[in-house]
Amino acid sequence: MVTLNATLRTLGLALLLLAPTAWGDNRGGGSGSGSGGSSGLSRPMTLPSTPTSGWPGGRTTPSNPGSNNSGKDGARTDDAAKDGAGPGRNGREDGSTRDGSGRREGDDRNGGPLPRPGADMPEARWQRGDQLVRSNPLAYERDPIGAPVLRAEITMLLPADAELPAALARRGFIAVRESAVLGRRLIVLRTPADLTLARAVALGRRLVPEAEIDFNHVLLGSGRTEPARRAPPPPAPAASAPPPEPVHVGLIDEALVPGGELTLPGEVRPVGARCLSRAVPEGHGQAVALVLARGLQQAGRRPVLHAADLGCGQGAVDAIATALQALDAERVPVVNVSAVGPYNRVMAAVVAAFLARGHLLVAAVGNDGPAAPPLYPAAYPGVIAVTAVDRQGRVLVEAGRGEHVAFAAPGIVELPGPDGTTRTWRGTSLAAPVVAAALALRLRQPDPAAAQAAVAQLARNALDAGEPGRDRIYGHGIVGLPATALAAVH
């Protein structure tokens, strides 16, 4: 018995000495493989990692994408990091990989689109942008903030007499399109296969610092239609006999289809490229054109719409730039653009040159909601930015706001559809042409002084809503709405 007890005590002491080591292995965190042991008695704790993929340079997703920072600042957040950065993560100066595997970094976005400003709004512009990229990934991709762009293309604006820098060709950039735009050379470059698009923009800016270089952003319409309902269309307002002289106004939008479901009063003159695409327009351009033409017709004038088909250039920056060049050549004083996108250096320079020649550019502020950053071209300096209200003068819940808002106008309209139906369109896209028509009645030819006078006169005649004077919700006031409709709610 004594021998047995001594043996048991010895065995117990050995187990006691071995126990801490066994428990320490099972709890992980020590040396060795770090697997946390295999006994199942305990599991290693895994701390959540900070998501960094999906944004160039490993930066985290902005914590508040719906803040009041402007779209310009948001677009240039990436610019600042790229322009001042040294070698990329892989050690090469331009951030590319040796085998080209970094070419499309950032497309996956962690397996799905990130939340975007206005994603919860009825129009869901960001969702349409994601759908555009996913439906045709060979033609489109996303920029660092998630906006749709033409794949593997960047735009560059040079002086008219400047040659294409040889440094770009040596690095693998290829000029694929070129046009003269308002006294400058607009060149679209195919980017090298070993560069991400963001790195290509950054490298191009370093190689040619005197040029304006940016992505070839794709602008999206800022209006939507609700389901058609069986009802006779509302009768057209009576108009007085039009005088002999027409009123000319420009329209950059989706294609206008001859003999389509909307009958446009007046005359339509196509400008710029003729689109050969088989895609059927969704009716956005037709709706905007009808609102624009009716505004002139109700004033007793004969509308002449100089219409540029945005679909010919896939809605990208270079297509809008060439359309503005064509409208300048035809001396069209007022141009309406009911499409929106992020800040773009090339587009900013083209718009500034267009306005300097005495034109007025009227643009919808977009439907990303009141907390979203400003959208462009509406937020470029000098552009007449228009928001939307309902029939009682209340701003639409999805309409953008900001210091750049110049006017408000009705943004819910009923337009005739096929087979005797009526379709309700809503959004800032439908408000912008109301203001464009009002300005076209006041500006008959491009002239810088006359253009400013026309805007000032319209501001004096607008219905003041919200805070007295100009404010960030209604701008100078509401255009195209009777004062009696406004009095009940303001």
Side-chain angles (χ1 to χ4, degrees), residues 221-295:
S222 55
R224 65 186 180 91
T225 180
E226 298 178 353
R229 56 186 176 84
R230 290 282 177 178
S240 58
E245 69 274 11
V247 174
H248 295 260
V249 62
L251 177 65
I252 301 177
D253 211 297
E254 191 184 60
L256 304 183
V257 182
E261 63 183 51
L262 301 180
T263 302
L264 297 176
E267 178 184 356
V268 177
R269 297 181 184 178
V271 298
R274 300 298 178 91
C275 193
L276 301 178
S277 172
R278 296 180 180 179
V280 178
E282 298 178 356
H284 184 274
Q286 296 278 113
V288 173
L290 183 55
V291 173
L292 183 58
R294 281 182 174 179

Side-chain angles (χ1 to χ4, degrees), residues 300-488:
R301 306 299 175 86
R302 182 168 64 89
V304 178
L305 305 185
H306 299 252
D309 183 359
L310 197 56
C312 290
Q314 297 173 288
V317 165
D318 65 315
I320 298 174
T322 53
L324 291 176
Q325 164 63 36
L327 292 166
D328 175 71
E330 296 194 5
R331 303 281 294 166
V332 179
V334 179
V335 176
N336 184 90
V337 181
S338 289
V340 295
Y343 177 83
N344 184 284
R345 292 186 180 188
V346 171
M347 193 75 256
V350 171
V351 167
F354 186 74
L355 299 178
R357 299 190 177 202
H359 303 272
L360 286 176
L361 185 63
V362 182
V365 300
N367 304 328
D368 281 9
L375 297 173
Y376 299 84
Y380 291 129
V383 175
I384 309 302
V386 183
T387 191
V389 298
D390 62 14
R391 295 177 181 86
Q392 286 74 45
R394 296 169 296 200
V395 66
L396 298 189
V397 64
E398 67 266 33
R401 302 182 184 184
E403 302 300 328
H404 61 295
V405 175
F407 294 99
I412 301 178
V413 295
E414 291 185 347
L415 301 175
D419 303 325
T421 61
T422 293
R423 292 185 179 180
T424 299
W425 286 81
R426 67 177 287 149
T428 57
S429 276
L430 289 310
V434 175
V435 174
L439 289 171
L441 293 170
R442 292 167 168 81
L443 183 66
R444 307 307 297 271
Q445 61 183 2
D447 178 87
Q452 295 305 312
V455 174
Q457 184 184 38
L458 186 61
R460 289 192 297 269
N461 295 337
L463 297 176
D464 194 13
E467 299 178 1
R470 184 172 183 174
D471 61 71
R472 65 190 313 273
I473 298 178
Y474 298 94
H476 294 290
I478 303 176
V479 176
L481 194 68
T484 53
L486 186 65

Side-chain angles (χ1 to χ4, degrees), residues 120-315:
D120 57 342
M121 289 291 110
E123 195 226 359
R125 181 178 59 89
W126 279 106
Q127 294 179 10
R128 291 192 292 118
D130 284 331
Q131 183 181 7
L132 180 69
V133 175
R134 293 176 184 276
S135 64
N136 195 350
L138 296 179
Y140 304 99
E141 60 179 302
R142 302 181 184 95
D143 76 349
I145 66 171
V149 297
L150 292 190
R151 177 169 288 277
E153 287 188 2
I154 63 174
T155 54
M156 180 173 64
L157 204 59
L158 290 171
D161 55 352
E163 296 293 333
L164 183 65
L168 293 173
R170 286 196 298 268
R171 187 53 188 84
F173 291 90
I174 301 173
V176 293
R177 295 190 299 279
E178 180 178 349
S179 56
V181 174
L182 302 171
R184 310 278 287 276
R185 290 182 69 189
L186 177 62
I187 303 173
V188 178
L189 298 169
R190 177 74 62 179
T191 59
D194 62 337
L195 293 181
T196 66
L197 200 56
R199 291 289 181 180
V201 169
L203 179 60
R205 290 173 180 172
R206 288 198 295 270
L207 294 176
V208 194
E210 68 276 12
E212 298 290 353
I213 296 178
D214 216 322
F215 304 95
N216 204 1
H217 283 114
V218 175
L219 275 68
L220 300 174
S222 55
R224 65 186 180 91
T225 180
E226 298 178 353
R229 56 186 176 84
R230 290 282 177 178
S240 58
E245 69 274 11
V247 174
H248 295 260
V249 62
L251 177 65
I252 301 177
D253 211 297
E254 191 184 60
L256 304 183
V257 182
E261 63 183 51
L262 301 180
T263 302
L264 297 176
E267 178 184 356
V268 177
R269 297 181 184 178
V271 298
R274 300 298 178 91
C275 193
L276 301 178
S277 172
R278 296 180 180 179
V280 178
E282 298 178 356
H284 184 274
Q286 296 278 113
V288 173
L290 183 55
V291 173
L292 183 58
R294 281 182 174 179
L296 298 174
Q297 189 182 47
Q298 289 171 4
R301 306 299 175 86
R302 182 168 64 89
V304 178
L305 305 185
H306 299 252
D309 183 359
L310 197 56
C312 290
Q314 297 173 288

